[in-house]
Amino acid sequence: MKPTSTRRGFFWQARAVALVAALGLFALIRPSAAAPYDDGVNAYRYGEYPTAMEILRPLAEQGDPVAQYYVAVMYQNGRGVEADLTAAIDWYRKSAVGAWPIAQKVLGDFYYLGKGVTKDYAEAAKWYQLAAEQGQS
């Protein structure tokens, strides 16, 4: 009986080694799509706004709603770029259309307050509703 259990153990050990090797090779071959995004968000969090803009702006232009949100925030607050409320609203709108709930809520706030846009309670309600449907309040 001992030889059989040893063979089984060897079989499972060999499979585990092969699986780990395959996963390692896959990780080396497939570059992480999240890496630039993570670098951009980390730069933002550490106050390196010009770097964050340099990394996140191309992702935003490619349609990433979270990157669009960060670009909007940087334009709104003049972080890494000159403050530009019109550009901020444009990026918030792109992010909101891309279904990012935080951007939907912020855009709703702008319409509710008339900040940079014509005050429009119906438009504000639309964006608030979309945000709320995703759990954003």
Side-chain angles (χ1 to χ4, degrees):
M1 204 167 219
K2 189 159 180 129
T4 306
S5 66
T6 303
R7 282 189 212 142
R8 282 189 194 146
F10 177 75
F11 172 74
W12 287 108
Q13 186 179 16
R15 287 185 74 183
V17 168
L19 178 62
V20 168
L23 290 174
L25 183 61
F26 180 72
L28 290 174
I29 293 171
R30 184 182 164 271
S32 174
Y37 171 79
D38 290 342
D39 290 345
V41 171
N42 286 333
Y44 179 87
R45 288 180 180 157
Y46 289 112
E48 299 166 1
Y49 303 119
T51 301
M53 181 62 83
E54 181 181 320
I55 294 169
L56 292 172
R57 176 86 189 235
L59 297 172
E61 290 170 349
Q62 293 171 13
D64 183 300
V66 180
Q68 291 168 338
Y69 171 78
Y70 277 101
V71 168
V73 171
M74 287 188 276
Y75 272 113
Q76 180 182 357
N77 297 305
R79 295 182 175 164
V81 293
E82 188 174 326
D84 183 342
L85 189 57
T86 301
I89 291 168
D90 289 342
W91 283 110
Y92 279 126
R93 185 179 321 283
K94 289 175 185 178
S95 181
V97 168
W100 187 243
I102 300 169
Q104 292 170 335
K105 178 5 180 124
V106 171
L107 197 56
D109 289 343
F110 283 157
Y111 278 104
Y112 182 80
L113 298 169
K115 182 177 180 178
V117 294
T118 303
K119 190 179 284 194
D120 186 334
Y121 295 129
E123 190 71 11
K126 174 184 104 174
W127 291 113
Y128 286 148
Q129 179 65 38
L130 289 170
E133 287 171 2
Q134 296 188 73
Q136 182 67 38
S137 57

